[in-house]
């Protein structure tokens, strides 16, 4: 089953999320065959973005590394599960870069997801500098290290999001995307249930071409997921 996940980042109030949910429901009718849809709204809009008839599921955009306690501003995996989430995004490049999240803390976040039955959408991807220096492959290996302690029998989603493609309008080519996704699959060859997504300037215009990339099972979509019509169009690709 292909997976299409909308990462809204810090966009949309509850009212806007409700309007999106209504419009998305109209767009997809009974659902899109062969495609699983996920929406990752801000925490405050989780309830508003949900679908009572279950045609899409919810994800947290982030999750605390601790299970609970005195951690002002954090939201735990158990809280996300209680709010209806099936997934949590872990290690998005914006979290890595702007909030200094790295391997050890990300490994803890993955472990907290498992304790609450959430499936992590674990993000990896090289920067422009790493790419130009020929370090894409070693970067992926290093970032995937955080999954070493995670049981290989559990379902896992990995999103390949090259930093240079995020929000730039310059997506990876299907060839680059396929190469990276195949490499990720090789590194994680012991996993029994692994889906690999691509993320970075995916639009309705390039989705079909990118979906032809080798070992690519869907997308993690930022900007183009803010419109229900364009999120549905990408998911129909
Ligand atoms: P864009 O689709 O806006 O490039 O964002 C990608 C992304 O970061 C999804 O997590």
């Amino acid at each position: 089953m292909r997976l299409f996940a909308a990462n809204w980042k810090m966009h949309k109030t509850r009212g806007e999320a409700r309007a999106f949910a209504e419009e998305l429901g109209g767009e997809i009718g009974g659902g899109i065959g062969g495609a699983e849809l996920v929406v990752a709204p801000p925490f405050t809009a989780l309830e508003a973005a949900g679908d009572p008839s279950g045609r899409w599921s919810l994800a947290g955009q982030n999750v605390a590394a601790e299970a609970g306690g005195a951690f002002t501003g954090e939201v735990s995996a158990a809280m996300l599960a209680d709010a209806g989430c099936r997934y949590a995004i872990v290690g998005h490049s914006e979290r890595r870069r702007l909030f200094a999240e790295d391997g050890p803390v990300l490994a803890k976040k993955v472990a907290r997801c498992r304790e609450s039955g959430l499936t992590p959408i674990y993000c990896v991807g090289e920067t422009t500098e790493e790419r130009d220096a020929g370090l894409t492959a070693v970067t992926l290996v290093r970032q995937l290290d955080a999954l070493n302690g995670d049981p290989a029998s559990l379902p896992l989603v990995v999103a390949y999001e090259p930093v240079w493609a995020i929000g730039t309008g310059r997506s990876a080519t299907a060839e680059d995307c396929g190469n990276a996704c195949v490499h990720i699959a090789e590194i994680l060859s012991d996993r029994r249930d692994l889906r690999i997504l691509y993320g970075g300037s995916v639009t309705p215009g390039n989705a079909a071409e990118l979906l032809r990339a080798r070992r690519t099972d869907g997308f993690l979509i930022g900007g183009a997921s803010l419109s229900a019509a364009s999120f549905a169009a990408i998911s129909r690709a």
Side-chain angles (χ1 to χ4, degrees), residues 8 18 21 31 36 57 77 87 90 94 105 112 116 118 128 133 138 144 155 167 177 190 192 202 219 226 228 237:
W8 288 356
R18 250 179 248 116
E36 178 184 352
S57 51
Y87 297 93
V90 176
E94 287 148 21
V105 86
R112 296 296 85 73
S116 292
L118 298 174
T128 305
V138 295
L144 290 170
C177 174
D190 60 332
R192 279 194 230 133
V202 175
F219 301 128
L226 293 173

Side-chain angles (χ1 to χ4, degrees), residues 52-72:
S53 33
R55 291 165 297 174
W56 61 88
S57 51
L58 294 170
Q61 292 180 16
N62 182 26
V63 60
E66 308 297 333
F71 301 99
T72 301

Side-chain angles (χ1 to χ4, degrees), residues 7 9 92 94 161 165-168 199-202 220-224:
N7 176 12
K9 309 190 180 183
H92 191 280
E94 287 148 21
E161 299 207 306
I166 295 178
T168 59
S201 298
V202 175
L220 182 55
I221 309 146

Side-chain angles (χ1 to χ4, degrees), residues 126-139:
E126 80 283 4
T127 61
T128 305
E129 293 72 32
E130 286 162 338
R131 179 181 166 85
D132 290 348
L135 295 175
T136 298
V138 295
T139 300

Side-chain angles (χ1 to χ4, degrees), residues 150-234:
D150 185 53
S153 57
L154 297 175
L156 174 70
V157 179
V158 172
Y160 170 59
E161 299 207 306
V163 178
W164 47 270
I166 295 178
T168 59
R170 177 176 155 234
S171 77
T173 62
E175 191 186 351
D176 281 344
C177 174
N179 288 342
C181 291
V182 165
H183 185 53
I184 290 166
E186 283 167 2
I187 297 166
L188 298 175
S189 59
D190 60 332
R191 308 293 311 203
R192 279 194 230 133
D193 180 354
L194 171 67
R195 283 184 289 180
I196 305 175
L197 311 182
Y198 167 76
S201 298
V202 175
T203 66
N206 61 20
E209 168 68 13
L210 282 165
L211 264 188
R212 277 195 277 276
R214 292 182 298 151
R215 198 54 183 90
T216 304
D217 302 307
F219 301 128
L220 182 55
I221 309 146
S225 77
L226 293 173
S227 143
S230 90
F231 180 49
I234 291 168

